[in-house]
Amino acid sequence: LICNRYERPMTNLQLRPHQDQCLSRAKEQNTIVCLPTGCGKTLIAARLIQHYLTSFPERKVAFLVPTRPLVEQQASYCEVHSRVLSSPPVVQRVVGEDQASWRQIDWDVCLQRTHVLLGTAANFQKAFVTDKYLSVNQFSLFVLDECHNCVGNSPMASLMRDAIAPHLVNGGAPPRILGLTASFVNGALQNLPKKRQALESLMLSTIFCPSVPPRLELENYTEVGWQPNVDLDRHIEEIDIHVKEAIRRIGPVKEVKKVVSRCVHVYSELGRVSLFYYIEKVIVQQILNKIRQLEDLKDSASVSLAWRMHSGIPALREELHVLSRNLQSCDIPNQDYIERSNKLEQLFGLLNDNFGASTYTGYRGIIFVEQVALVLPLAKQINDFFGSRIQCGAVAGIGAQSENDREAQLASFKLGDIHILVATATLEEGIDVSECTVVVRFSNVATTKAHIQGSGRARHPDAKVFYFENNPEIEWQNEQHMKNVARETALQLSRGELQLSSIQMNASVNCHPHPFGSRSSLANPVGEVSVFNCKQIFNQYCSVALGQSVSPKKELYDYSFDFNSNRKKLNQVRYPTPMGWRELSENDYISFWSGTHLDQVFDPARSKRKTSSEKEEMCFVYIVVVKLRQEGFLDLHNKPIGNVELRHQIRRNCPLRASPEVGINLKSTVSFSTSLP
């Protein structure tokens, strides 16, 4: 086990007055620092980390960020701007699958060698709650970066509810909590005072928002005028018909409507050239990748499906050729042939004005789009149009782009090898590039949080922000309204209200969570099971025990339709054991939850978007996971049994049902290095 440590020269940055105010307050009480992007929130955190590592050398610091791209940036910053006895702190990056296989001894060794654990919130939620390899009493400080994400049942919120609040209620030494945000509300602006207090209540902290000069004024924003292409109905109809037919030629595909919808979106936003680039480089490429995967499996069914899909490729391309011809055809009356959309042409003009004529290539820009489907085609169009004058890259979130590709793109952008990035919202939070002069919001900006976070990427003193779909004056006014609510000290929760909040978060019933009543014991180092994490635990158990990925709804759940409630109802859940399949029936479900009001189990703040059917599934699976723990098939950290012979028994005695032919899932993906010349 190697913990990351770099000898970096410390920069002796002096705190500005507002930073000094925030740091002093955070030393005295739990604080949510609410400051505009670029006002030095991370430096406040770095100096508070230094203070707590010096004051409590036997305890550690946990630094949570919402996304992977922020991990290395914030870790490097802490190594430069914090010190422990004149040396940089040892910062362990906790990200991705790196720690997924860690057991207690690995975490113990890491804590011995590390000062700061810095990583994504989801990894900390597992380590402190589900796996319970880490204990709150080992830490003196928790830093929650972009803490507006601490809502609902998010990993940050789970850490507060399921780890820190129980620790406090049961007499544990209180760690300091520091939240960092530029926008304390993640969604709509309705009921801002109530939402502010909800965040304070959940984070057991109060907002502090000192006045600072605005970094961006209204004159830094520009609304881009452009004329939409009109009367696209026939074009869209052609795309719908021919894309569906083209996909049908290669075999079973899941959610064809979504595939068609993405194609329509690319065409409407960018034009015909981008549509066919998207189809070839994203859709067809995924089909070819799936064919190779099936061929590698060697079994007759997989090879047969691969052959069928491969045989359909020529027919697919012929169908797309027909679509291309029809989109250009005069048979569609009163329609403009859209090689490039008017919106895209306007973007080219904007980029040429701000980058193309400049001899200084040090400036950077970010173009934000809403859908992943636009990222790769738009980057391709920019590179083709500007050639060597402007180099454009592409960044998307987890699941749409590999971590290596995303990190390579960000590194090239920071170095200046790439001048412009086309990105999804994954780059809205926290990525700092001081040379970023231009931010373009090509798609609609749905929330004030997104407006604030996205505008914050424009770090250059002469920064400009361009909106294609929103009125920047309205967005700027909403931002000012949020700041005013953040500065209203009369809205702060009192110490008594925060203590009551921690007690309420620690509430439990006789049969939930599991181990029953364990929240009363600080010395109980066992993983917790709740309705909120049980599905993750169950799916991992089944995959490890059966040696393959499983679709629970198809393989493990039995449903019927309840005409009284007009919904699908879960009747039974089965689960694999060395002795064969076991079933949890509806009667078992009723017996277990008898006498328990499920409203006490489902905190409205964590489950307000859950349907009755989803809650029913969570309650069924919770019972199954409790039984797996009680019967020893899951260990005390909710990990599947490690006995190889027992796993072999499970696989012999628990055959899966013969599944019907499974369709492939065509997603919008970004692979810049392999897709763009």
Side-chain angles (χ1 to χ4, degrees):
L1 174 66
I2 300 176
C3 292
N4 297 315
R5 182 173 184 172
Y6 302 97
E7 292 297 329
R8 301 174 184 267
M10 183 178 182
T11 59
N12 191 26
L13 291 180
Q14 296 299 312
L15 296 181
R16 287 170 280 175
H18 71 272
Q19 292 173 309
D20 200 37
Q21 287 179 332
C22 292
L23 179 60
S24 297
R25 191 178 192 276
K27 289 178 180 179
E28 297 297 324
Q29 64 186 89
N30 293 348
T31 300
I32 300 168
V33 172
C34 186
L35 284 172
T37 302
C39 289
K41 294 188 291 294
T42 311
L43 181 58
I44 296 167
R47 295 299 165 81
L48 189 66
I49 289 170
Q50 179 173 303
H51 170 76
Y52 272 88
L53 290 177
T54 303
S55 302
F56 304 94
E58 74 285 358
R59 297 169 73 186
K60 311 301 178 182
V61 171
F63 195 133
L64 285 68
V65 298
T67 61
R68 290 184 185 184
L70 283 173
V71 173
E72 183 58 37
Q73 175 179 290
Q74 302 299 60
S76 299
Y77 193 95
C78 289
E79 289 165 338
V80 171
H81 297 288
S82 296
R83 280 295 180 268
V84 180
L85 299 177
S86 302
S87 298
V90 181
V91 180
Q92 171 66 49
R93 281 76 165 165
V94 184
V95 63
E97 295 299 314
D98 294 346
Q99 286 75 34
S101 61
W102 280 16
R103 299 288 175 158
Q104 187 68 64
I105 187 172
D106 301 309
W107 286 104
D108 290 344
V109 171
C110 180
L111 288 178
Q112 291 172 7
R113 300 177 177 179
T114 304
H115 297 111
V116 180
L117 271 63
L118 194 152
T120 52
N123 282 286
F124 281 105
Q125 187 274 338
K126 278 180 59 63
F128 279 96
V129 181
T130 302
D131 300 343
K132 199 62 178 293
Y133 289 128
L134 298 178
S135 174
V136 174
N137 60 16
Q138 296 170 306
F139 292 79
S140 62
L141 170 66
F142 286 81
V143 180
L144 279 64
D145 195 13
E146 310 293 353
C147 67
H148 48 265
N149 290 290
C150 188
V151 292
N153 195 42
S154 70
M156 282 189 185
S158 175
L159 179 76
M160 294 301 306
R161 287 192 176 98
D162 303 324
I164 293 178
H167 172 84
L168 296 176
V169 169
N170 293 294
R176 176 67 69 237
I177 298 167
L178 174 67
L180 307 175
T181 184
S183 53
F184 66 86
V185 171
N186 208 354
L189 293 187
Q190 288 87 355
N191 302 315
L192 271 185
K194 182 178 179 181
K195 290 180 178 179
R196 169 195 164 142
Q197 292 181 338
L199 180 64
E200 290 186 339
S201 176
L202 181 53
M203 289 194 58
L204 305 174
S205 311
T206 54
I207 287 178
F208 184 61
C209 183
S211 295
V212 294
R215 199 175 51 82
L216 293 175
E217 296 284 4
L218 184 56
E219 52 263 29
N220 294 101
Y221 295 87
T222 301
E223 184 174 8
V224 180
W226 58 280
Q227 185 64 40
N229 296 91
V230 296
D231 300 326
L232 294 178
D233 291 350
R234 278 292 304 277
H235 287 178
I236 292 173
E237 183 180 342
E238 288 290 323
I239 294 171
D240 182 85
I241 292 170
H242 291 287
V243 171
K244 283 181 179 176
E245 181 60 23
I247 290 174
R248 188 188 67 80
R249 301 296 181 91
I250 55 96
V253 173
K254 298 178 181 178
E255 299 181 320
V256 174
K257 286 185 178 180
K258 287 187 178 180
V259 178
V260 173
S261 175
R262 295 179 194 127
C263 290
V264 168
H265 186 65
V266 172
Y267 180 74
S268 302
E269 292 285 288
L270 303 178
R272 187 193 70 86
V273 174
S274 293
L275 168 63
F276 285 94
Y277 181 81
Y278 174 74
I279 291 174
E280 182 64 34
K281 293 298 183 181
V282 177
I283 295 178
V284 175
Q285 189 59 50
Q286 285 185 68
I287 293 169
L288 295 175
N289 292 341
K290 183 64 175 180
I291 290 172
R292 286 192 288 269
Q293 292 170 7
L294 290 169
E295 290 173 340
D296 291 341
L297 293 177
K298 307 297 184 184
D299 64 278
S300 58
S302 298
V303 172
S304 175
L305 179 56
W307 178 85
R308 174 183 167 187
M309 293 171 66
H310 193 274
S311 301
I313 294 293
L316 177 148
R317 288 204 164 103
E318 176 58 32
E319 193 67 35
L320 295 176
H321 180 71
V322 173
L323 171 60
S324 180
R325 187 172 63 245
N326 287 0
L327 289 177
Q328 301 175 67
S329 172
C330 294
D331 294 338
I332 303 179
N334 301 319
Q335 301 287 306
D336 292 328
Y337 169 54
I338 307 173
E339 186 76 8
R340 289 198 300 252
S341 70
N342 293 337
K343 189 176 185 181
L344 181 58
E345 294 283 6
Q346 192 67 35
L347 175 65
F348 285 165
L350 186 156
L351 295 179
N352 189 64
D353 292 342
N354 287 275
F355 292 94
S358 175
T359 57
Y360 175 58
T361 59
Y363 293 143
R364 318 272 208 287
I366 301 175
I367 303 170
F368 285 106
V369 296
E370 182 180 12
Q371 293 192 23
V372 178
L374 293 184
V375 173
L376 206 57
L378 182 52
K380 167 68 172 173
Q381 286 273 18
I382 293 170
N383 281 325
D384 286 351
F385 185 84
F386 289 98
S388 60
R389 287 187 297 157
I390 298 178
Q391 295 296 310
C392 183
V395 169
I398 298 172
Q401 185 177 26
S402 72
E403 186 171 359
N404 288 340
D405 196 39
R406 181 171 53 251
E407 289 181 351
Q409 292 293 290
L410 289 172
S412 295
F413 182 64
K414 291 177 180 179
L415 290 171
D417 297 332
I418 289 174
H419 310 122
I420 295 172
L421 283 178
V422 179
T424 59
T426 192
L427 276 198
E428 284 182 352
E429 294 183 337
I431 296 299
D432 299 334
V433 177
S434 59
E435 296 84 1
C436 187
T437 313
V438 172
V439 167
V440 178
R441 305 310 300 245
F442 193 71
S443 303
N444 179 59
V445 178
T447 66
T448 300
K449 186 272 293 186
H451 156 75
I452 294 172
Q453 298 291 343
S455 301
R457 298 316 107 218
R459 291 302 185 96
H460 194 274
D462 300 321
K464 303 174 185 177
V465 183
F466 297 91
Y467 278 87
F468 274 75
E469 301 284 353
N470 298 69
N471 182 331
E473 184 173 356
I474 294 175
E475 300 302 328
W476 191 82
Q477 290 171 350
N478 288 339
E479 178 183 353
Q480 305 315 306
H481 177 44
M482 185 182 292
K483 287 180 182 177
N484 291 335
V485 174
R487 290 177 180 144
E488 182 53 69
T489 56
L491 294 173
Q492 285 183 2
L493 295 183
S494 67
R495 180 171 297 182
E497 288 171 318
L498 294 176
Q499 290 175 340
L500 178 61
S501 177
S502 64
I503 294 171
Q504 291 171 337
M505 284 193 280
N506 191 47
S508 61
V509 296
N510 290 335
C511 57
H512 184 273
H514 183 272
F516 310 138
S518 66
R519 283 186 162 181
S520 63
S521 173
L522 289 174
N524 197 3
V526 298
E528 182 170 283
V529 182
S530 74
V531 293
F532 299 104
N533 68 359
C534 61
K535 281 192 170 183
Q536 178 189 24
I537 298 169
F538 183 52
N539 292 345
Q540 181 186 34
Y541 167 79
C542 291
S543 296
V544 172
L546 296 170
Q548 60 183 294
S549 60
V550 178
S551 174
K553 290 181 182 295
K554 293 179 179 179
E555 295 284 351
L556 308 177
Y557 302 169
D558 284 329
Y559 295 94
S560 64
F561 190 81
D562 185 350
F563 290 94
N564 291 327
S565 59
N566 194 35
R567 68 176 179 89
K568 186 171 64 173
K569 186 175 182 181
L570 185 58
N571 297 320
Q572 178 180 284
V573 173
R574 65 174 188 158
Y575 57 99
T577 74
M579 292 73 70
W581 289 106
R582 290 189 179 172
E583 292 81 27
L584 184 86
S585 68
E586 184 177 10
N587 288 335
D588 297 325
Y589 173 93
I590 294 171
S591 175
F592 183 91
W593 293 109
S594 177
T596 301
H597 292 288
L598 292 182
D599 289 344
Q600 296 176 281
V601 174
F602 288 99
D603 180 343
R606 302 182 81 167
S607 58
K608 63 181 178 181
R609 291 186 175 89
K610 298 293 183 183
T611 65
S612 297
S613 295
E614 288 171 330
K615 291 179 180 179
E616 185 177 65
E617 287 179 6
M618 293 161 73
C619 287
F620 256 100
V621 174
Y622 171 75
I623 304 171
V624 171
V625 175
V626 169
K627 287 183 174 293
L628 290 170
R629 275 280 292 269
Q630 292 173 336
E631 294 167 5
F633 300 127
L634 287 170
D635 67 18
L636 295 179
H637 299 282
N638 291 317
K639 299 294 186 183
I641 50 175
N643 188 302
V644 176
E645 178 55 34
L646 288 180
R647 291 184 185 176
H648 287 322
Q649 291 180 29
I650 291 175
R651 293 166 195 178
R652 285 196 303 268
N653 296 331
C654 299
L656 291 169
R657 298 162 182 158
S659 300
E661 188 175 52
V662 178
I664 66 171
N665 186 15
L666 298 178
K667 303 185 296 182
S668 288
T669 58
V670 173
S671 182
F672 185 94
S673 57
T674 59
S675 298
L676 292 177

